[in-house]
Amino acid sequence: MKDVLLIALFALGGAACAGTLGALVLRLLRHRSVTVSLAVVVAVPVTAMLAGTLAVAWAMFLSPHDLTVVTLVVAMAAVVSLAAALLLGRWVVARSRDLARAARDFGEGGSFAAPATRATAELADLARELAATSAKLAASRDRERALESSRRELVAWISHDLRTPLAGLRAMAEALEDGVATDPGRYHRQIRTEVERLNTMVGDLFELSRIHAGALELTPSRVSLRDLAADALLGADPLARERGVRLLGEDIAHVPVDVDGKEITRVLGNLLVNAIRHTPSDGTVAVHVGRRERTAVLSVTDGCGGIPEEDLPRVFETGWRGSPARTPPAGAGLGLAIVRGIVEAHAGRAAVHNVPGGCRFELTLPLANAADA
């Protein structure tokens, strides 16, 4: 029993020395290739075995022949182990380089394509994560390009819309100044109309900039969509009468919501003005308020004749005004973008779809918490 204990102690001592030396080497080489680390990891147990064997052989006074045999066996095992480690390391390094090249192409603005060769489970997981990130970035780039395109269109349209009234104001001011205006009162009224139009346009731009900057401050309170719809219909009635359009608001239910009444009133006003302007004389604009599952639903249906299917996804984009036939004289393509921004700020959703004879703009908003009602 004493001999066995001595053998175990000598073997432990030799293995501990080899293990300590291997740990130091690994620390020094921790920033090198994985091939080198694998070679060291394989060499440590082989060296530990050889050190333990030599220590026991020295303690047991083995014959030189027996010691040579044991050493050769351990050396052959070391050679095979190191060869396997080097092959595994080179394979892992090759897969890592393939993944690095694919990631480099991805980083230079392209899309990520996972290497076709098989890799370890960890590298495969990393490739899947990179592929998912690539898809998200591609979608983000598409959104950014669409947004940039809409911004360019907005700048072009706003420049045109500003240039026209400004040129008219300048001409009327010069006529009044030179005393050639035959009806100064009419000129004054026209100047007031154009100034109000410009003021509305600037107000819409300011509101849209707040929405895009995330600076839209809401003051929610418990209100009924029926009351907001009734107020919006009352405010839009003069424009509807002027254009010969009938407003219908009979199908309006009492639906409580927690919203900023001022902002939602602006949303309804924009939708009604848009609907009235695109509905021909003797047409009808209908407002509906109801519930759908756990949401409040408000819709405005007009008689515009419908929107081309390819344009439906762009209706709420900044600056979109569709075909020239749908471009209102006083519009800058901002009203519906403001509608979507305000509704989404209330955790709602704005949508549009065609119906027979026209289109329906539909807003969904969260219902007020019944427990707080």
Side-chain angles (χ1 to χ4, degrees):
M1 185 65 182
K2 184 178 180 180
D3 293 340
V4 174
L5 182 59
L6 286 175
I7 291 173
L9 289 175
F10 276 103
L12 180 60
C17 292
T20 303
L21 181 60
L24 292 175
V25 174
L26 277 177
R27 180 175 177 80
L28 293 174
L29 301 176
R30 63 184 181 277
H31 299 303
R32 301 294 296 276
S33 170
V34 67
T35 304
V36 176
S37 298
L38 282 174
V40 173
V41 168
V42 170
V44 167
V46 174
T47 305
M49 183 186 303
L50 181 59
T53 302
L54 292 176
V56 171
W58 176 78
M60 297 295 294
F61 300 104
L62 293 180
S63 65
H65 178 268
D66 293 339
L67 183 58
T68 301
V69 171
V70 172
T71 303
L72 284 175
V73 171
V74 174
M76 293 302 102
V79 170
V80 173
S81 300
L82 285 173
L86 291 174
L87 289 175
L88 176 61
R90 288 176 62 85
W91 183 80
V92 172
V93 168
R95 302 292 81 76
S96 298
R97 288 174 178 170
D98 291 341
L99 189 59
R101 281 193 294 270
R104 189 180 304 113
D105 294 338
F106 166 42
E108 292 175 353
S111 59
F112 177 80
T117 54
R118 296 179 61 85
T120 63
E122 292 79 9
L123 291 179
D125 289 340
L126 179 58
R128 283 191 291 269
E129 290 296 328
L130 287 174
T133 302
S134 174
K136 293 178 182 177
L137 287 177
S140 178
R141 285 194 295 267
D142 291 340
R143 287 193 300 269
E144 184 63 26
R145 281 193 291 267
L147 182 58
E148 184 61 27
S149 176
S150 68
R151 285 173 179 168
R152 286 195 297 268
E153 291 179 356
L154 174 62
V155 170
W157 284 335
I158 289 294
S159 300
H160 176 271
D161 289 345
L162 288 176
R163 187 181 297 112
T164 302
L166 287 175
L169 287 171
R170 180 178 180 178
M172 287 185 285
E174 290 176 350
L176 290 170
E177 185 179 20
D178 296 338
V180 299
T182 58
D183 186 359
R186 183 175 66 85
Y187 276 64
H188 289 147
R189 289 190 296 273
Q190 185 63 29
I191 289 174
R192 181 183 180 89
T193 299
E194 294 297 337
V195 169
E196 288 179 351
R197 176 185 172 188
L198 290 174
N199 184 64
T200 300
M201 191 180 303
V202 171
D204 286 345
L205 284 171
F206 178 71
E207 183 77 0
L208 195 62
S209 67
R210 288 200 304 160
I211 292 172
H212 286 171
L216 182 64
E217 297 181 0
L218 301 178
T219 307
S221 60
R222 180 66 49 82
V223 295
S224 171
L225 275 183
R226 179 175 61 187
D227 297 337
L228 295 180
D231 292 342
L233 285 168
L234 187 62
D237 185 64
L239 178 63
R241 290 179 180 274
E242 177 186 343
R243 292 179 171 264
V245 175
R246 294 186 300 275
L247 294 180
L248 297 180
E250 301 173 354
D251 193 10
I252 300 178
H254 168 67
V255 181
V257 290
D258 291 324
V259 297
D260 188 316
K262 179 181 177 181
E263 297 295 341
I264 295 300
T265 298
R266 178 167 191 165
V267 165
L268 297 177
N270 285 359
L271 289 179
L272 284 172
V273 169
N274 181 73
I276 292 170
R277 283 177 174 162
H278 294 124
T279 298
S281 180
D282 292 332
T284 300
V285 172
V287 177
H288 167 77
V289 176
R291 301 171 186 247
R292 181 183 300 155
E293 297 178 352
R294 298 181 180 179
T295 60
V297 180
L298 185 148
S299 64
V300 175
T301 306
D302 61 32
C304 68
I307 300 174
E309 291 295 328
E310 62 272 15
D311 285 340
L312 284 176
R314 298 193 59 203
V315 167
F316 293 101
E317 289 183 7
T318 301
W320 183 86
R321 295 189 291 189
S323 64
R326 288 186 55 89
T327 302
L334 306 180
L336 294 179
I338 291 173
V339 165
R340 181 176 65 176
I342 293 176
V343 171
E344 290 181 352
H346 285 84
R349 188 174 64 89
V352 60
H353 57 271
N354 287 323
V355 295
C359 59
R360 177 175 297 151
F361 288 85
E362 191 173 87
L363 311 179
T364 57
L365 294 166
L367 282 173
N369 191 345
D372 298 334

